[in-house]
Amino acid sequence: MAKGTYQQVKDALKKLGIDDYNVVDHPAAHTTEEADKYIAGHEGVRTKTMFLKGKKKKFYMVIMDDKKRMDFHEFMDLTGTKRVSMARPEHLEEELGLEPGIVSPFGLLNNQDHNVKVYIDKDIVDEPIQTFHPNENTHTIFIKTKDLFKFLKAIDFEPEIIDL
């Protein structure tokens, strides 16, 4: 499978008429903490996107504030999922065409099987702007929350809002 690329994200957003976003180019960032240093002073909630695997090869994407800790038991209770853990790098590559540390909703462009359920924490839904790596960790995109939802819907993913 072709790797996700920044160009792929720009092309997809352009095709959808989403052009009101900003990008900060920076050295490769391997953690949210590293990325946050490069984007200090720019408006937008700092997010983390986790790619999880449940039993029977079910996959989940969880988008939340990067300051929040993921509670796997609470997630399983809220969603009725079973035996959820971080997906292995090979699953990330297979399903999203991404490497660990670069997970974002833009990786869903590569999810041919549409077998990933997307969850967004309600704490960030009302934030006007969200931040993500656009399939490469040398850029951070600042996208309006409404445009993120428009993007997800356009590529056939209906995120569920949960209270983590």
Side-chain angles (χ1 to χ4, degrees), residues 73-163:
H73 294 291
E74 184 182 10
F75 176 78
M76 288 185 277
D77 288 346
L78 286 169
T79 59
T81 54
K82 305 261 187 268
R83 293 204 309 258
V84 173
S85 62
M86 295 298 285
R88 295 200 313 263
E90 55 269 26
H91 290 133
L92 186 55
E93 167 66 37
E94 240 172 66
E95 301 302 328
L96 303 180
L98 299 175
E99 296 170 16
I102 310 178
V103 183
S104 85
F106 299 111
L108 294 167
L109 287 166
N110 300 312
N111 186 240
Q112 305 299 320
D113 299 334
H114 275 68
N115 61 343
V116 178
K117 177 80 181 125
V118 181
Y119 294 96
I120 301 178
D121 185 32
K122 82 169 189 60
D123 285 354
I124 63 171
V125 172
D126 292 331
E127 294 286 340
I129 297 171
Q130 314 243 344
T131 63
F132 301 98
H133 284 314
N135 290 352
E136 292 178 16
N137 66 352
T138 53
H139 314 280
T140 297
I141 189 168
F142 293 75
I143 186 168
K144 289 182 177 167
T145 302
K146 67 178 179 60
D147 288 338
L148 173 67
F149 279 92
K150 179 180 177 181
F151 165 79
L152 290 169
K153 192 176 178 85
I155 63 168
D156 245 358
F157 287 90
E158 197 61 59
E160 193 173 312
I161 311 303
I162 57 175
D163 188 0

Side-chain angles (χ1 to χ4, degrees), residues 61-73:
M61 179 176 283
V62 180
I63 303 168
M64 61 197 301
D65 188 310
D66 77 358
K67 301 282 183 266
K68 217 171 185 182
R69 279 183 48 103
M70 175 65 173
D71 182 330
F72 286 90
H73 294 291

